[in-house]
Amino acid sequence: MEVHHHSHSPDPGLHGGRKKWTHYFWEFFMLFLAVTLGFFVENKREHYIEHKREKEYVKQLVQDLKTDTAFFLVSISANTSNQARMDSLIVLLQQYRQGESTEDMYYLARNITSRGISTQYSNRTFEQLKNSGSLRLIRNTRVLDSVTLYYESLKDLDIRLQHRLQRLHNLFLANEDLFDGWALTGIADSGLKKISHTPPLLTNDKATISRYITRLGYYKSADEAIIGRIREIYLPSAIRLIALLKREYHLSERTPSEK
């Protein structure tokens, strides 16, 4: 009897036969593609969110700058008028003779210390960006440099405003030596209007009057320097920066928050 030996081919499915290298390649490729696409989608999503935040911050910066320009214009107008009051008071004091009317002098002295305003500006958004590390969101280097330069330049204005405040304090002290307190209070109570029958100056001493004029002149010079810087530097800079931000970020003339 013949014995037949049958050769049996291994069943890949049952005995775990070796797979072709192309099979492994496609598995790796599909996994790599899935991870890459996931990373790409997430990166695009983060990029979109950051770009949206960047534009919102830029809109806020524009609003701050518009606030600045409004403050600057009011400051120029109010303090220029106050400069004229100071000039008038200096002339009246230089010409003053005992027994003459003091109504104009009292009126001007009280208004000078009340009508002049301290210049303000808004750096809220810039400080928020800087302190939170979010300045990196502004990827436009020209815009970032311009914004940073503008707010850094305002540090000089802060110094000048402190100097002006000290000069104003000195002027208040000089008022006490020359003008009757009841009369000054009466002008304030009347809404800073001129009142009649004001008393004579507290003294006719030339040295005291001269000291008052000197302090008034110092205050006038400090105030005049600020007006000049605002008119020549800060106001034009704010206007140019608004135009740059609107142009670079394609903002409409009126942002949604303005409507």
Side-chain angles (χ1 to χ4, degrees):
M1 178 186 292
E2 292 187 25
V3 179
H4 297 281
H5 298 281
H6 300 282
S7 59
H8 297 279
S9 300
D11 186 342
L14 296 175
H15 302 286
R18 298 178 64 184
K19 299 178 182 178
K20 293 183 179 180
W21 69 269
T22 54
H23 179 81
Y24 293 106
F25 170 78
W26 284 110
E27 281 188 346
F28 171 77
F29 177 75
M30 294 302 291
L31 179 62
F32 173 79
L33 186 62
V35 172
T36 301
L37 286 175
F39 175 78
F40 177 76
V41 170
E42 182 63 21
N43 189 54
K44 288 289 289 182
R45 189 179 74 86
E46 290 183 2
H47 179 77
Y48 170 77
I49 292 174
E50 289 196 345
H51 179 67
K52 188 175 180 181
R53 289 179 62 198
E54 176 186 14
K55 196 163 186 177
E56 286 303 314
Y57 276 127
V58 168
K59 288 179 180 178
Q60 291 175 30
L61 284 170
V62 169
Q63 292 305 307
D64 287 351
L65 289 164
K66 286 185 174 182
T67 300
D68 288 355
T69 59
F71 279 147
F72 292 157
L73 289 171
V74 169
S75 177
I76 290 172
S77 176
N79 291 332
T80 298
S81 296
N82 218 32
Q83 291 277 311
R85 294 188 189 97
M86 290 184 235
D87 289 336
S88 297
L89 182 55
I90 289 173
V91 171
L92 289 175
L93 287 170
Q94 289 172 334
Q95 298 175 347
Y96 175 68
R97 297 291 181 272
Q98 192 171 15
E100 294 178 348
S101 171
T102 59
E103 292 177 3
D104 288 338
M105 286 189 288
Y106 271 91
Y107 168 75
L108 290 169
R110 189 62 184 87
N111 274 265
I112 285 168
T113 55
S114 297
R115 298 290 189 185
I117 63 173
S118 181
T119 303
Q120 302 178 56
Y121 62 86
S122 177
N123 62 351
R124 177 191 56 187
T125 302
F126 179 74
E127 288 299 315
Q128 182 182 352
L129 285 167
K130 187 172 67 173
N131 295 333
S132 66
S134 298
L135 278 174
R136 62 176 179 79
L137 293 174
I138 301 181
R139 292 163 294 177
N140 186 316
T141 55
R142 183 185 177 193
V143 167
L144 180 58
D145 289 345
S146 298
V147 168
T148 303
L149 180 62
Y150 172 76
Y151 286 104
E152 286 297 317
S153 72
L154 290 174
K155 291 180 179 179
D156 174 69
L157 180 57
D158 288 334
I159 295 172
R160 292 176 182 274
L161 288 172
Q162 285 298 318
H163 182 66
R164 174 188 181 275
L165 185 62
Q166 182 59 53
R167 296 301 190 189
L168 178 59
H169 174 72
N170 293 340
L171 185 60
F172 275 122
L173 295 178
N175 272 349
E176 297 174 3
D177 295 331
L178 198 58
F179 295 98
D180 179 83
W182 295 111
L184 292 177
T185 300
I187 294 171
D189 292 342
S190 71
L192 297 176
K193 295 178 181 178
K194 187 184 296 185
I195 62 175
S196 58
H197 309 299
T198 52
L201 298 181
L202 295 180
T203 179
N204 198 37
D205 178 58
K206 289 185 177 181
T208 303
I209 295 175
S210 176
R211 184 165 55 250
Y212 181 89
I213 292 175
T214 298
R215 292 190 175 187
L216 183 59
Y218 284 152
Y219 176 59
K220 180 176 182 293
S221 295
D223 205 49
E224 198 170 34
I226 291 174
I227 295 173
R229 299 282 287 185
I230 292 173
R231 183 183 285 116
E232 297 169 13
I233 298 176
Y234 304 120
L235 179 58
S237 294
I239 293 173
R240 286 195 300 267
L241 190 50
I242 290 173
L244 175 65
L245 292 173
K246 285 187 173 184
R247 183 172 64 251
E248 293 295 323
Y249 288 87
H250 309 291
L251 301 178
S252 60
E253 184 60 28
R254 297 181 65 191
T255 59
S257 57
E258 293 179 271
K259 294 178 181 179

